[in-house]
PDB file of all heavy atoms in Angstrom:
ATOM      1  N   VAL W  26      92.253 113.048 133.427  1.00 96.00           N
ATOM      2  CA  VAL W  26      90.909 113.410 132.980  1.00 96.00           C
ATOM      3  C   VAL W  26      89.922 113.495 134.146  1.00 96.00           C
ATOM      4  O   VAL W  26      88.746 113.775 133.927  1.00 96.00           O
ATOM      5  CB  VAL W  26      90.387 112.469 131.873  1.00 96.00           C
ATOM      6  CG1 VAL W  26      91.233 112.590 130.627  1.00 96.00           C
ATOM      7  CG2 VAL W  26      90.309 111.031 132.338  1.00 96.00           C
ATOM      8  N   GLY W  27      90.388 113.274 135.373  1.00 96.00           N
ATOM      9  CA  GLY W  27      89.566 113.501 136.558  1.00 96.00           C
ATOM     10  C   GLY W  27      88.908 112.277 137.145  1.00 96.00           C
ATOM     11  O   GLY W  27      88.651 112.226 138.344  1.00 96.00           O
ATOM     12  N   GLN W  28      88.589 111.294 136.336  1.00 97.00           N
ATOM     13  CA  GLN W  28      87.996 110.043 136.814  1.00 97.00           C
ATOM     14  C   GLN W  28      88.240 108.971 135.767  1.00 97.00           C
ATOM     15  O   GLN W  28      88.603 109.271 134.626  1.00 97.00           O
ATOM     16  CB  GLN W  28      86.497 110.199 137.057  1.00 97.00           C
ATOM     17  CG  GLN W  28      85.697 110.500 135.801  1.00 97.00           C
ATOM     18  CD  GLN W  28      84.228 110.757 136.108  1.00 97.00           C
ATOM     19  OE1 GLN W  28      83.883 111.245 137.178  1.00 97.00           O
ATOM     20  NE2 GLN W  28      83.366 110.423 135.168  1.00 97.00           N
ATOM     21  N   ILE W  29      88.035 107.722 136.151  1.00 96.00           N
ATOM     22  CA  ILE W  29      88.217 106.624 135.203  1.00 96.00           C
ATOM     23  C   ILE W  29      87.098 106.685 134.176  1.00 96.00           C
ATOM     24  O   ILE W  29      85.918 106.692 134.531  1.00 96.00           O
ATOM     25  CB  ILE W  29      88.232 105.265 135.931  1.00 96.00           C
ATOM     26  CG1 ILE W  29      89.431 105.205 136.891  1.00 96.00           C
ATOM     27  CG2 ILE W  29      88.288 104.123 134.917  1.00 96.00           C
ATOM     28  CD1 ILE W  29      89.436 103.996 137.800  1.00 96.00           C
ATOM     29  N   VAL W  30      87.480 106.776 132.897  1.00 97.00           N
ATOM     30  CA  VAL W  30      86.516 106.885 131.799  1.00 97.00           C
ATOM     31  C   VAL W  30      86.885 105.886 130.710  1.00 97.00           C
ATOM     32  O   VAL W  30      88.044 105.487 130.583  1.00 97.00           O
ATOM     33  CB  VAL W  30      86.489 108.316 131.196  1.00 97.00           C
ATOM     34  CG1 VAL W  30      86.009 109.334 132.214  1.00 97.00           C
ATOM     35  CG2 VAL W  30      87.842 108.712 130.640  1.00 97.00           C
ATOM     36  N   PRO W  31      85.895 105.476 129.909  1.00 97.00           N
ATOM     37  CA  PRO W  31      86.208 104.655 128.740  1.00 97.00           C
ATOM     38  C   PRO W  31      86.868 105.536 127.681  1.00 97.00           C
ATOM     39  O   PRO W  31      86.458 106.672 127.461  1.00 97.00           O
ATOM     40  CB  PRO W  31      84.843 104.151 128.274  1.00 97.00           C
ATOM     41  CG  PRO W  31      83.869 105.150 128.793  1.00 97.00           C
ATOM     42  CD  PRO W  31      84.460 105.727 130.054  1.00 97.00           C
ATOM     43  N   SER W  57      96.219 104.628 132.545  1.00 96.00           N
ATOM     44  CA  SER W  57      96.346 104.175 133.927  1.00 96.00           C
ATOM     45  C   SER W  57      95.105 104.575 134.712  1.00 96.00           C
ATOM     46  O   SER W  57      94.567 105.668 134.511  1.00 96.00           O
ATOM     47  CB  SER W  57      97.581 104.808 134.567  1.00 96.00           C
ATOM     48  OG  SER W  57      97.630 104.531 135.959  1.00 96.00           O
ATOM     49  N   ASP W  58      94.682 103.707 135.608  1.00 95.00           N
ATOM     50  CA  ASP W  58      93.588 104.052 136.519  1.00 95.00           C
ATOM     51  C   ASP W  58      94.089 104.874 137.702  1.00 95.00           C
ATOM     52  O   ASP W  58      93.367 105.709 138.232  1.00 95.00           O
ATOM     53  CB  ASP W  58      92.906 102.792 137.054  1.00 95.00           C
ATOM     54  CG  ASP W  58      92.073 102.075 135.999  1.00 95.00           C
ATOM     55  OD1 ASP W  58      91.793 102.666 134.934  1.00 95.00           O
ATOM     56  OD2 ASP W  58      91.689 100.913 136.250  1.00 95.00           O
ATOM     57  N   ARG W  97      90.549 102.191 129.014  1.00 96.00           N
ATOM     58  CA  ARG W  97      89.910 102.986 130.050  1.00 96.00           C
ATOM     59  C   ARG W  97      91.010 103.523 130.942  1.00 96.00           C
ATOM     60  O   ARG W  97      92.129 103.002 130.975  1.00 96.00           O
ATOM     61  CB  ARG W  97      88.928 102.153 130.863  1.00 96.00           C
ATOM     62  CG  ARG W  97      89.631 101.101 131.707  1.00 96.00           C
ATOM     63  CD  ARG W  97      88.824 100.663 132.902  1.00 96.00           C
ATOM     64  NE  ARG W  97      89.681  99.968 133.819  1.00 96.00           N
ATOM     65  CZ  ARG W  97      90.077  98.724 133.680  1.00 96.00           C
ATOM     66  NH1 ARG W  97      89.693  98.010 132.643  1.00 96.00           N
ATOM     67  NH2 ARG W  97      90.876  98.181 134.569  1.00 96.00           N
ATOM     68  N   GLY W  98      90.711 104.567 131.654  1.00 96.00           N
ATOM     69  CA  GLY W  98      91.688 105.088 132.597  1.00 96.00           C
ATOM     70  C   GLY W  98      91.349 106.498 133.017  1.00 96.00           C
ATOM     71  O   GLY W  98      90.531 107.181 132.404  1.00 96.00           O
ATOM     72  N   ARG W  99      91.986 106.909 134.083  1.00 97.00           N
ATOM     73  CA  ARG W  99      91.893 108.300 134.532  1.00 97.00           C
ATOM     74  C   ARG W  99      93.041 109.103 133.944  1.00 97.00           C
ATOM     75  O   ARG W  99      92.922 110.288 133.689  1.00 97.00           O
ATOM     76  CB  ARG W  99      91.933 108.351 136.059  1.00 97.00           C
ATOM     77  CG  ARG W  99      91.969 109.757 136.579  1.00 97.00           C
ATOM     78  CD  ARG W  99      91.983 109.841 138.074  1.00 97.00           C
ATOM     79  NE  ARG W  99      92.226 111.244 138.462  1.00 97.00           N
ATOM     80  CZ  ARG W  99      92.013 111.708 139.661  1.00 97.00           C
ATOM     81  NH1 ARG W  99      91.545 110.921 140.609  1.00 97.00           N
ATOM     82  NH2 ARG W  99      92.277 112.964 139.925  1.00 97.00           N
ATOM     83  N   LEU W 127      84.625 100.072 130.358  1.00 94.00           N
ATOM     84  CA  LEU W 127      84.910 100.159 131.792  1.00 94.00           C
ATOM     85  C   LEU W 127      84.998  98.781 132.433  1.00 94.00           C
ATOM     86  O   LEU W 127      85.660  98.608 133.455  1.00 94.00           O
ATOM     87  CB  LEU W 127      83.850 101.003 132.508  1.00 94.00           C
ATOM     88  CG  LEU W 127      83.832 102.483 132.156  1.00 94.00           C
ATOM     89  CD1 LEU W 127      82.609 103.158 132.753  1.00 94.00           C
ATOM     90  CD2 LEU W 127      85.109 103.162 132.618  1.00 94.00           C
TER      91      LEU W 127
END
Side-chain angles (χ1 to χ4, degrees):
V26 296
Q28 64 185 30
I29 297 172
V30 296
S57 172
D58 288 346
R97 68 156 196 282
R99 175 179 171 165
L127 293 171

